Amino acid sequence: MIGKRAAILARHGQQSGMSTTADIAQYADEYLRVREIEDWPNALNGLQLENSETVTKIAAAVDVSTRVLEAAAQDGANLLVVHHGMFWPGLRPVTKGLHRQLKIALDHNVAIYSAHLPLDLHPKVGNNILLMRALGIENSDSFFQEKGSLLGQRALVDIPVKEVAARLEKAVGGTVREITTGPKIARHVGVITGAGGSEIERVAGEGIETFITGEAPHWAAIAAEELGVNLLLGGHYATETFGVKALSQHLAERFGVDWEFIDFPTGL
C-alpha cells in the first residue's frame, strides 16, 4: 500500500508520448557532463536503477527516500530524478530502508537518476546559478574549485545585506539564519548551495564577504565573525530544490512527458 504523501507541487507540461529510460539517461549524462565532472564516490551520478525502459512521467525530488518513492509510484511516475541518490551512506547491505526503497521502485517500475555536483554547477539548470538568479542577480561568474571544477557562483553587487537576506528568504520559502558579522552593504556575494558552510574560510579567501549557502557547522558562525563575513543559511534542502526542478522540466519538454516535483523537506 502506498502511504500518504506530503505536498506535491502542481504538475507541469503535457504528456505527449513515450520515451526510453536509456535515451533520457544518456541525454542527461551528456547535458550535465556527468562523465567529465569528478564527484564523491557515493554520489554515483547517472542512472542508479533502471526500469522496463519506458518513461511516461518524471518525478523530481531532492533526496531518494521511502516517502518520495511512494509518492512517485502513487502518481504514476516511472523516472525519479534526484540530487542525492540511494548510496550516500556508502556500501551497505540491502536491508531495512534500502531494501524497502528498492522494493517500491522495482514493484512500481520506477527508475532512479541522480546528479550531484554536475547539477550544482550546471550553467543553465544548476542549483547555484538558479539560486543566484532567484536573488535577482543575473550577472555572476563561477568560482570555488572543488574536485577540479568551479562549483559556486559569485557576483559584484551593491545591496544591503538585510535585503539580500530577505530575497533569500523569499527564494527558499522559509526562514534564513543570518550571521551578519560583515559589511552592512553586500559587494561580493558568493553562492554555494547545500552544505557549503564548512568552506567559509576558503570562500572568504576568494574575496567573498557575503556568503550564501544551505547549512554550516557550529564553528562556522565563529569563523564568520573572526573573518568579518556575512553568512546566510537558507537550508540545505531548500537551496537544492532548484536544480532537480529545472532539470526535470528540461527533460520533460525535450522528451514530451509530464513531470512533477515531490516536496519532502528535511528541515535542515
Side-chain angles (χ1 to χ4, degrees), residues 48-61:
Q48 294 189 341
L49 182 68
E50 64 183 8
N51 64 357
S52 66
E53 286 297 292
T54 299
V55 175
T56 56
K57 186 175 185 179
I58 297 171

Side-chain angles (χ1 to χ4, degrees), residues 215-233:
E215 62 174 316
H218 174 79
W219 62 262
I222 306 301
E225 182 177 0
E226 297 296 336
L227 293 164
V229 168
N230 298 306
L231 178 61
L232 305 179
L233 307 176

Side-chain angles (χ1 to χ4, degrees), residues 134-252:
L135 297 173
I137 303 171
E138 291 294 331
N139 298 315
S140 63
D141 299 309
S142 299
F143 88 114
F144 192 80
Q145 184 164 304
E146 184 66 52
K147 293 189 175 295
S149 298
L150 293 176
L151 180 60
Q153 290 288 311
R154 64 184 301 165
L156 296 175
V157 299
D158 184 8
I159 308 171
V161 172
K162 287 296 183 183
E163 172 65 19
V164 176
R167 294 184 189 185
L168 179 59
E169 187 170 274
K170 182 178 180 181
V172 300
T175 302
V176 170
R177 181 71 176 92
E178 302 177 34
I179 303 166
T180 52
T181 50
K184 295 185 181 299
I185 303 296
R187 308 285 186 189
H188 301 85
V189 173
V191 169
I192 300 175
T193 60
S198 60
E199 303 293 350
I200 187 168
E201 292 188 348
R202 285 179 59 196
V203 168
E206 295 199 37
I208 300 300
E209 98 285 308
T210 300
F211 180 31
I212 298 168
T213 186
E215 62 174 316
H218 174 79
W219 62 262
I222 306 301
E225 182 177 0
E226 297 296 336
L227 293 164
V229 168
N230 298 306
L231 178 61
L232 305 179
L233 307 176
H236 191 139
Y237 177 92
T239 60
E240 295 193 328
T241 60
F242 299 90
V244 289
K245 290 178 184 178
L247 174 61
S248 296
Q249 180 177 5
H250 176 77
L251 294 175

